[in-house]
Amino acid sequence: MGIISVFLKRTICGKLICNMRDQLKRFIDAMEPDSVAIIPAAHEQVRSYDTEFKFRQDSDFWYLTGFPEPDAVAVITKGAKNPYTLYVRPRDPMMETWFGRRQGVEGAVKNYKADKAYSIEKFEGDLGKILDGHERLYYRFAVDKKLDQTLLTYFTEQRVQRLKTAYPPHTIIDPTPILGEMRLHKSAKEIELMQTAGNIAAEAHILAMKKVKPGMNEAQVEALMEAYMKDKGASGVAYNSIVGGGENATILHYVENNMPLKDGDLILIDAGAEYQGYASDITRTFPVNGKFTKAQREVYDVVLDVQLKCIDFTIVGNTHLQRQEYSIELLTEGMKKLGLLKGKTKDLIKKKAYMKYYMHGVGHWLGLDVHDAGRYYVDQQATKSKPYAPGMVLTVEPGLYIPPDDKTAPAKYRGIGIRIEDDVVVTKDGNLNLTAKVTKDPDEIEALMQGPARK
Ligand code: GLY
Ligand code: MN
Ligand code: MN
């Protein structure tokens, strides 16, 4: 059975659609009175000439509908007896023979619980019926250019008519803030899915620790991890994996993953699985030959200590900005300990001296998108950040990257890049690490790498 049909089957049989129905209901509750929302699915993207990238559904559309096909549009009408209409690709035996099965109008109702469904070909002609007589429209411009144009054409025609024919919405609202806030607070069911995504990725990292050895290519490590993820039910990776040996680990978004791994080097792997649309995001750094050098271990211990402290900091009440500042303070102290920086911590922070070795955030929201939806700030000026609350999922991923040609760093540390990343859900009285299954303890890593399972 092909991957697409496995995915469809799971989607239809699981409780996933009920879950989405609940999310849709909460979205409707949050909509203003007398409003209608138009939420488009993603489209297939050309990879080369006439072939496409593997399709990935738009996260907001997925969150509300669970419908897995491209080119659909959800129309959600607040206050209507049947508020949820899906416009979908119609059944078409010839197209389905060439390009794969379609749910069609019948499947959209039967399997995806739309109140009503129509062919997407009818959407443009139905716009007047959908919009006329409603005060507000929820729609996000500048994502789907073609749909933007369809809507603008409708509004242009209405203006030309001087609104004689009907009364279109006079207020257009971006639904992103509502959806972002909803997606930021995960339900118990979502956490369950994210735990599965976390477990699958963690096991893939364990496999890598068992299999990596000098002479292997980074590409082989990437391949064995991704094969494992799919084998365990993930639809694939949640983002392009980073598999960097030696100095490649100092390039933050190194995705070429095509160099041989050298004895004596470290390998940094940042790889996560996507399960039922949800991402996991794990980084582990370990020695290619199974044994840290003294210098590697010194840098590793600094990053690990910061990571553990920042996990402890990811609790109710602490804010996102506070956590970032905390990570900067701890890492600056660590850089001083290693002899990378000299001076007073306060001055080094003020001068942003740490940026030479630590230049990214300590973490981000995680969910359907790896860098998930939801605002980090509570004010428009982005000066006050949100306090953490139960159900928020965050990564914790401090790192140190010492450029190979950095003449000011002790020679023994040059070219070392280390990041350690876990996914944490904030709970009422602490947090839960969703990716704890793969160790980051250096002694345990060495034991695992040198153990009997390694062939
Ligand atoms: N893998 C992307 C990130 O860690 O943010
Ligand atoms: Mn990552
Ligand atoms: Mn991350």
Side-chain angles (χ1 to χ4, degrees), residues 239 242 253 270 281 283 364 370-371 397 419 421:
Y239 51 89
I242 296 166
H253 287 143
D270 184 342
D281 183 6
T283 307
H364 48 85
V370 65
H371 298 151
E397 51 178 307
R419 177 165 66 256
E421 177 173 26

Side-chain angles (χ1 to χ4, degrees), residues 149-162:
Q149 199 49 55
T150 303
L151 284 165
L152 290 173
T153 303
Y154 159 79
F155 281 110
T156 306
E157 281 165 7
Q158 289 295 340
R159 303 240 148 82
V160 172
Q161 293 286 325
R162 291 189 191 275

Side-chain angles (χ1 to χ4, degrees), residues 278-307:
Y278 286 88
S280 52
D281 183 6
I282 303 179
T283 307
R284 290 291 182 266
T285 311
F286 53 92
V288 168
N289 65 12
K291 183 100 184 84
F292 286 94
T293 65
K294 192 161 171 288
Q296 289 166 352
R297 180 71 186 253
E298 283 161 5
V299 183
Y300 190 92
D301 285 345
V302 165
V303 177
L304 180 58
D305 182 60
V306 175
Q307 206 247 5

Side-chain angles (χ1 to χ4, degrees), residues 8 11-14 17-18 65-67 102-114:
L8 285 180
T11 306
I12 294 162
C13 301
I17 295 306
C18 298
T65 70
F67 192 70
R102 293 177 173 191
Q103 286 292 317
V105 168
E106 304 80 8
V109 172
K110 183 161 174 272
N111 301 322
Y112 292 88
K113 308 297 172 216

Side-chain angles (χ1 to χ4, degrees), residues 157-188:
E157 281 165 7
Q158 289 295 340
R159 303 240 148 82
V160 172
Q161 293 286 325
R162 291 189 191 275
L163 311 181
K164 279 180 204 145
T165 53
Y167 187 89
H170 285 205
T171 306
I172 299 173
I173 308 170
D174 185 348
T176 313
I178 297 180
L179 285 165
E181 191 59 23
M182 285 180 67
R183 284 174 51 189
L184 181 52
H185 301 272
K186 274 80 179 170
S187 67

Side-chain angles (χ1 to χ4, degrees), residues 243-281:
V243 183
E247 294 173 6
N248 295 338
T250 64
I251 302 167
L252 296 184
H253 287 143
Y254 173 78
V255 287
E256 284 108 324
N257 306 346
N258 58 7
M259 308 242 309
L261 296 166
K262 290 199 218 107
D263 200 348
D265 276 353
L266 291 172
I267 176 172
L268 181 155
I269 304 177
D270 184 342
E274 185 175 88
Y275 182 75
Q276 303 278 13
Y278 286 88
S280 52
D281 183 6

